[in-house]
Amino acid sequence: EIARLLLFPITLSPDYNFNQIPIPRGFEPAVAAGAAVLGISLFIALRAWAVPRRFAMAAWAALTYFPISNLLVPVPLLLAERTLYIPSIALAVLAGDWLAGGIVRRRVGTRRLAVALAVVIVVLWGARTVARNPVWHDQLSLFTAAAEASPNSSVMRLSYGKELMKLGHTEEAIAEMEAAVRIQPELARAHYDLSIAYQAQNEPEKAEQAIRNLLYFRPDRPTPWLQLGRVLMMQGRMGDAAEALRRSLALNPRNEEARALLDDIQGNKQGNKP
């Protein structure tokens, strides 16, 4: 995937996390392709040993990518295009050095081929850059394109859903958030945002189920308990709502909204007494 992004950046996305790049479970074609790319890279590095400037660039690529490669320590990022910016400098320099060698020191036929390749690279990569730039116009355009390019990324589907929510497209937002939950059930923020979306859609039962799914993974967070209290109040279940709000306050005594809602429930109880 790294080789594709560096050499053929046709499809681009700001995120390739779970589960856009499935983890191989055996010796699959993707594993064989990765092994081949690694072998070719090592061969190029060994060939570059004899030319100091080329070896320096090969070392630059390895050293700048190694810290975020997950080989040294696990990082919460499987792959992102932004992590390839600095290592890709080496590829650009090596390609330029190779093309310059073909233009300056070779016979006429090779020289023309090198010039033609240089022109093709500049034109194609320049055109891809121009075509990509509008995607970065705003958050909505970015996450719309990202959800299309990485439909199996839970983070991108959730991010797109949140942008749709801001525009008031609640039904479409819920569909994206539900997709994020299906892809990665343990993604806590997806459950929370889905509960908020159902609440905005006036579907408190579904909002309750979504937030309870989050509490299954994160029972020690005050905000989900607060959200549970909100949706239970929507259903008129004041006793259950009060218990949820107390749980929220136990985890965060400074939660002013939880305290205010709990005071409202208790005040209503006092007012209803004969």
Side-chain angles (χ1 to χ4, degrees), residues 155-171:
V155 174
M156 289 300 97
R157 298 297 292 272
L158 176 60
S159 298
Y160 181 39
K162 292 172 73 171
E163 292 303 313
L164 291 171
M165 273 292 292
K166 293 177 184 178
L167 296 175
H169 303 318
T170 309
E171 290 187 7

Side-chain angles (χ1 to χ4, degrees), residues 247-259:
R247 294 287 297 272
S248 179
L249 285 169
L251 294 167
N252 180 14
R254 296 182 180 180
N255 193 323
E256 295 182 2
E257 183 182 355
R259 188 169 300 280

Side-chain angles (χ1 to χ4, degrees), residues 18 58 69 84 144 149 151 163 172 175 178 186 199 201 212-213 215 220 242 250 253 262:
F18 195 92
S69 65
L84 301 177
T144 300
E163 292 303 313
E172 294 92 333
E178 287 178 338
E186 67 274 16
Q199 182 182 5
Q201 194 77 341
R212 288 192 184 279
N213 290 338
L215 286 167
D220 57 341
L262 185 57

